[in-house]
Amino acid sequence: MTNASIMRQKRSHRIDIRLTLAEYEKAQLMADENNLTMSELFRAKTLKNRLPRRVTKVAGQTYWELGKIGNNLNQIAKAINTSVLMGEPVVVDRALLSQVRDLVKQVRREIAEIDLITDLQDEG
């Protein structure tokens, strides 16, 4: 049975569970942070569906800004390559340019993984 066919079925079975106040508050917080109802949260957690990852505003904005910086670096590299093809002298430390590009890519990957690592630690 596919996920789509499961989603179209009417949910007619109910499960009652008991939680401590601390467990309930933690579950409610998780649901709120992920814009889920409690039912959706428990279905996602128990049926092994992935919850949407939280991305902080700072991480999102940093990721966006780093993307713009990366685009600027690509434009600089293109201009340099065009100048070289046209025979114009260009003095460039290509190793340094490559290092900067690699650092931008590394930081973007790390930012994208932060929330995943945090989520895994919270579950542990």
Side-chain angles (χ1 to χ4, degrees):
M1 201 177 267
T2 66
N3 281 345
S5 64
I6 291 172
M7 295 298 283
R8 284 191 295 266
Q9 293 179 357
K10 180 174 167 114
R11 291 190 170 98
S12 58
H13 297 286
R14 182 182 178 107
I15 298 173
D16 292 319
I17 64 170
R18 295 189 182 276
L19 302 173
T20 65
L21 178 60
E23 291 169 334
Y24 179 83
E25 288 173 347
K26 182 177 179 180
Q28 187 65 58
L29 181 63
M30 288 175 67
D32 291 344
E33 287 175 345
N34 291 285
N35 294 324
L36 300 171
T37 65
M38 292 285 267
S39 294
E40 290 168 334
L41 173 73
F42 280 94
R43 274 194 297 274
K45 284 295 204 177
T46 58
L47 300 175
K48 301 295 182 195
N49 294 332
R50 290 184 56 138
L51 291 173
R53 288 190 349 201
R54 281 181 290 133
V55 178
T56 64
K57 281 188 174 186
V58 171
Q61 187 63 35
T62 302
Y63 186 85
W64 177 260
E65 292 296 329
L66 286 171
K68 292 189 329 189
I69 291 168
N71 288 337
N72 289 339
L73 288 173
N74 287 335
Q75 290 173 2
I76 291 167
K78 182 178 180 180
I80 290 168
N81 290 332
T82 301
S83 295
V84 169
L85 288 174
M86 295 175 63
E88 297 175 4
V90 177
V91 178
V92 176
D93 185 341
R94 290 182 184 268
L96 182 59
L97 183 62
S98 179
Q99 286 176 347
V100 170
R101 190 175 322 140
D102 291 343
L103 284 172
V104 168
K105 287 179 184 178
Q106 176 186 347
V107 170
R108 288 184 79 182
R109 281 192 306 268
E110 288 176 6
I111 288 171
E113 292 174 359
I114 285 172
D115 290 326
L116 179 60
I117 292 168
T118 301
D119 289 345
L120 291 175
Q121 289 172 342
D122 288 346
E123 289 178 3

